[in-house]
Structures are given as C-alpha cells and as structure tokens.
Amino acid sequence: MADPLTIRRLYGRSKGHKLRAGQESLVEELLPALSVPEQGAVDSRTLFGDDRPLHFEIGFGAGEHLAFRADLLPDHGFIGAEPFLNGVVGALGHIRDRHLANVRLHMGDALDVLERVPDGALRFVYLLHPDPWPKARHAKRRMINNGPLDLIAAKLAPGGEFRLGTDDPVYCRWAMMVMGGRRDFEWLAESAKDFLTRPGGWPETRYEAKARRQGREVWYFRYRRV
Ligand SMILES: C[S@@+](CC[C@H](N)C(=O)[O-])C[C@H]1O[C@@H](n2cnc3c(N)ncnc32)[C@H](O)[C@@H]1O
C-alpha cells in the first residue's frame, strides 16, 4: 500500500510464552485449515463459498471478541488478523471450543490482508485497544491515522460500521481528533453515555477487564461509513 502517512511497525512482541503440546497442535492443524489464502482476493465467496456479510477485526489479541461476534452471527463471515502467536493460539482455542465455522485468520499485519479485500466488501471493521505508540514521535505508527483509515473506509460498504475501543486517554483524544477530521465516517454517539458505556454485542475482553481493574476508563466509538 502506498501509505506515506503511516509507518508500519508492530508494537511489542510477536512471540511470547512457549506453546504447550495441545496449543502446538492447534497451530499445526487448525491454523492452516482456517488461514486466509496467501494470494488472491479476500472475499466472502473465496473464504466461505457464498455471499455472507463480512466482518474484519484488526489485532484481535486473544480472540475473545472475534469468537464472541462469530458465535453471535453464525451466518456472517469473520476475518481476524493478529501477528502475536500466543494470541492466535487463544483464538484457535475459542474457535475449536465454540465449533465456529465462520472465522478465518491471518497471523500477521492486518493491513496486508485488508488491502486484498475488494472495496465495499465489509460490513464491520473492529479495532479494539490498538497499540498506543505513546510517544509523540511515534504517532505515525498508530493504526488511527489517515493511511489505514483510508483503507478501512474503502473496504467498508456504505452504511458499514467501524468500531474502535481504547483505554488510553491520549489515544482517545488522538482518535477523536483524527476521526473528527474525516468526512467519510459519521460518529454514532448522541450523548456521552454512548461512548462511556459498552454497546450491546460488544463483549469485554480480558485486556479491557484488566484495564478497568487497574483503574483505567474505557471509551467505545462507533462510526458509520457514510
Ligand atoms: C493492546 S492489544 C489489544 C488486543 C485485543 N484487541 C483486545 O482488545 O483484547 C493490541 C493488539 O494489536 C495487535 N497489532 C498491532 N499491530 C497490528 C497490525 N498491524 N495488524 C494486526 N494486529 C496488530 C498486537 O499484536 C496486539 O495483540
């Protein structure tokens, strides 16, 4: 992607704890079966064999939100991207335990897959607790930047929804500023309650629960693609 506005750098680790035997077999057996193909268009027909509505989660962490949504909407298709192996293993465990047949995964940079989705093909895009890149000189690495947002906007169908959650006050203000400057997204909040309270169908992840335990606030943003 020609994206002068965002430097693509992953934040933190992509490898963590050593996997247990059961987790290794998930990676060796289930992951290849569910992985987004390495080439070609990434659309409903290619992934699921029909024209179901498509959802895309950027940086799904341990996959709790992805699995919850996929379970809630079994006739929809879900694509999740996450470079962190231990997170991918977590998602594979949820997919196995909940017998989900409507999820495809990419272990790596979400933007690499998003680029291959046809324009207007997505109904929902989720970005929950994106890495903060707290230093001002790293601001260009934040996922909320016009480069990635142009891509998200292009891939969402008109009327589609972009959901963003954050527990970082700097990121919250940054996101409001960047999103506020865009004409292609309409903020769906009508009052403060709408972004201070978790909307229905939006489960709490372990990451979010930990943030709250540590005394941090969480903000929930819903934008409609105009
Ligand atoms: C703070 S964690 C939040 C995880 C999860 N969304 C949640 O709410 O529990 C941010 C996640 O984004 C992932 N991430 C960062 N850059 C990414 C990228 N370019 N593509 C996909 N995932 C990315 C990280 O590996 C990490 O798991």
Side-chain angles (χ1 to χ4, degrees), residues 71-151:
D71 208 8
L72 192 70
L73 299 165
D75 299 334
H76 292 207
F78 289 78
I79 304 167
E82 169 59 58
F84 189 47
L85 176 62
N86 294 76
V88 171
V89 170
L92 290 169
H94 293 303
I95 292 168
R96 177 200 54 202
D97 296 347
R98 295 184 184 222
H99 307 287
L100 300 174
N102 56 339
V103 183
R104 297 293 179 268
L105 301 179
H106 170 70
M107 193 167 88
D109 190 332
L111 300 180
D112 291 342
V113 177
L114 203 52
E115 282 171 353
R116 292 165 49 210
V117 173
D119 285 356
L122 298 176
R123 186 74 66 86
F124 279 89
V125 173
Y126 310 100
L127 175 63
L128 306 187
H129 304 281
D131 287 329
W133 292 106
K135 293 182 182 152
R137 67 190 161 88
H138 288 157
K140 291 282 187 237
R141 298 178 185 176
R142 295 175 188 157
M143 194 57 79
I144 294 289
N145 258 307
N146 283 326
L149 288 170
D150 286 348
L151 191 60

Side-chain angles (χ1 to χ4, degrees), residues 13-77:
R13 314 169 297 172
S14 65
K15 289 209 175 67
H17 315 292
K18 192 169 163 11
L19 300 184
R20 295 191 301 273
Q23 294 177 317
E24 268 177 18
S25 74
L26 281 176
V27 173
E28 278 160 24
E29 287 156 32
L30 190 54
L31 182 58
L34 298 185
S35 285
V36 171
E38 284 182 11
Q39 287 179 341
V42 176
D43 57 24
S44 271
R45 202 150 271 282
T46 313
L47 299 182
F48 302 104
D50 54 29
D51 289 324
R52 61 185 62 207
L54 267 189
H55 303 231
F56 194 110
E57 182 161 348
I58 300 171
F60 57 69
E64 298 141 78
H65 173 272
L66 184 67
F68 177 96
R69 296 287 294 166
D71 208 8
L72 192 70
L73 299 165
D75 299 334
H76 292 207

